[in-house]
Structures are given as structure tokens and as C-alpha cells.
Amino acid sequence: MTTILDFLAAIGRPVIGLCRAAGALAVFAAVGLSHLFRPPFYGRLFARALLEIGYFSLPVVALTAVFTGMVLALQSYTGFARFSAQGAVANLVVLSVTRELGPVLAGLMVAGRIGAAMAAEIGTMRVTDQIDALSTLSTNPMKYLVAPRLLAGIIALPLLVVVADILGVLGGFIVSTLKLGFNVDSYVTNTVNFVQFDDVLSGLVKAAVFGFIIALMGCYQGYNSKGGAQGVGAATTSAVVSASILILAFDYVLTEMFFAQ
């Protein structure tokens, strides 16, 4: 009997811990979102976060999208050639980039760059008592530190995904026309005729959710960090890993919502 109770306790502890962490994260997200609709609004902090998430992430997202489109065209051509269906390369590239690869790869790249930076910055403020100083100065830390970043993430990532979609399709077009011998006019026609507004819209909705997740995990891990420099490092790692996992998980959930029959 004691062995069974010990076994159940060993299983129950991590489950309870996971539920506690999920609840704390949900409360943190709800409080952060509530401050988006209540004054005061820190426009300068929002603009700074938008610049950091959007503009400064543009090079890595652009390069990732271009080379992904190129590789996708090469790989799909190799596979379709076995069934004499090379004409479907353009369709596959535009569909894959707009629905999945654009938002997911952009989200993962931004998570590695911005999620870590947010966690490190806010975590450093936490362990050096700067967050407590904000409260002493009658400034709500959630409104000052978290809300602008959440809003910037929701807005910036869809803009990055628009660029990623264009460049990803362009990468596939370059490889298909210059290396694989596709006719330029027919490739462009197939791409334009095949892509639908719902494909692009689903990718942008995913991007907005991913942007929120990245900003949320960066802020949450940094805000709750402790233990000095070592704690800040752990928070940075946790922010990137948790954001990446949640992006992949929510990608499935959103795909199920948009395209399940």
C-alpha cells in the first residue's frame, strides 16, 4: 500500500506543479492583456519594443524565408519528378510558405532572438530590484514592462510574416526558374491562381498568436526570475524553450481550427 501511495505521490507532484505553473502563466497573461485597454499608455516603450521585435528581426527572418523557399522548391521538385507532377512545385511552395513555414519559422527565429532578450532584460531588472523600484514610484510594472511588449509582439510578427511569405515564395521562384527550368509566366500564373486569401489569413493569425506567445514567455520568465545572474540565465533559456514548444503546439491547434474538415 505504501509503495502505491509513493508512486501516486511521485506522479502527482509534477502534475500539480504543471497545473500551478499553467495557472500562474494564465493569470499573468490575463493581467498583461487587461492593461492594454486601460490608461496610461506608454507609447514610447511600445514603439521601442515594436522596433526591436520587427525591424531588427527582419534580416534573420528574411534570410530564413528565402533559403527555406529555395530548399522547398528543390526538394518538392525531386519528389514530384517521380510522379511526373513537376508543375505542382509552385503550388506546394506558396501553400507551404503562407500556411506553415512562414509563421512557424519566423516565430522560432524571433523567439530565439527576442524572447531571450526580453527575459534577460526584465530578469536583470528583477534581480537588481528595479521592478520593486517601479512600484515604489507608483508605476505598475505590468503596464510599464509587459503590456507594451505584448502589444508589440502581436503586431510585429504578422508584419514579419508578410515579408517572410513574399521572400519565401520569391526564393522558390528563383530556384524554379533559374535552376529547374520553369517558365516564368506559367510559374507566376500557377502561384497567383492557386493561393487563396484564407491561406494567407491563417498564417497571419498564427503569427499574431505566436508573437503574443513569444512576448508573454519572455516577460513571464524574466519577471519571475530569481537567484542573481544564474537565475537570469535560466530564465533566458526557459523563455526560448517554452516559447518554441508553445509555438509548435499552437501551430497544430490553429491548423486544426482553420483546415480540419
Side-chain angles (χ1 to χ4, degrees):
M1 187 65 179
T2 303
T3 304
I4 296 176
L5 292 176
D6 291 341
F7 175 74
L8 293 176
I11 296 177
R13 289 190 194 98
V15 172
I16 293 174
L18 180 62
C19 293
R20 184 185 296 114
L25 179 61
V27 171
F28 187 88
V31 173
L33 286 174
S34 69
H35 284 293
L36 295 178
F37 308 101
R38 292 182 290 171
F41 302 105
Y42 297 98
R44 184 174 180 180
L45 294 175
F46 164 73
R48 176 193 167 195
L50 189 65
L51 192 66
E52 290 178 350
I53 298 173
Y55 181 75
F56 292 129
S57 298
L58 190 57
V60 65
V61 171
L63 288 173
T64 302
V66 168
F67 287 112
T68 298
M70 291 179 173
V71 171
L72 186 61
L74 285 174
Q75 293 283 20
S76 59
Y77 180 84
T78 302
F80 287 149
R82 301 175 182 178
F83 307 99
S84 300
Q86 297 93 323
V89 170
N91 302 342
L92 177 67
V93 170
V94 69
L95 193 66
S96 300
V97 169
T98 54
R99 282 189 179 186
E100 290 295 326
L101 296 180
V104 171
L105 292 179
L108 294 176
M109 293 297 104
V110 174
R113 183 183 179 277
I114 296 300
M118 286 184 181
E121 181 179 356
I122 298 177
T124 301
M125 296 181 68
R126 168 60 74 187
V127 300
T128 56
D129 296 327
Q130 295 181 52
I131 294 180
D132 296 331
L134 288 174
S135 301
T136 303
L137 296 173
S138 299
T139 300
N140 191 314
M142 292 293 293
K143 179 174 288 295
Y144 187 83
L145 296 175
V146 177
R149 289 174 168 84
L150 292 180
L151 182 59
I154 294 172
I155 294 176
L157 203 61
L159 298 178
L160 286 173
V161 168
V162 170
V163 177
D165 289 347
I166 295 173
L167 293 179
V169 174
L170 178 62
F173 169 79
I174 291 173
V175 169
S176 298
T177 55
L178 297 183
K179 181 176 178 60
L180 302 178
F182 280 76
N183 179 268
V184 173
D185 293 335
S186 63
Y187 189 95
V188 172
T189 300
N190 289 339
T191 299
V192 173
N193 291 339
F194 189 77
V195 68
Q196 298 180 359
F197 177 75
D198 289 345
D199 300 326
V200 179
L201 179 63
S202 65
L204 296 181
V205 172
K206 287 183 179 182
V209 174
F210 297 164
F212 173 75
I213 290 173
I214 293 167
L216 174 65
M217 297 312 302
C219 293
Y220 176 78
Q221 297 293 346
Y223 197 88
N224 293 284
S225 63
K226 54 185 177 180
Q230 185 175 3
V232 174
T236 302
T237 302
S238 298
V240 176
V241 173
S242 58
S244 300
I245 293 174
L246 287 175
I247 284 173
L248 296 176
F250 274 87
D251 178 52
Y252 172 79
V253 173
L254 293 172
T255 300
E256 184 78 17
M257 290 173 58
F258 276 108
F259 302 110
Q261 298 298 329

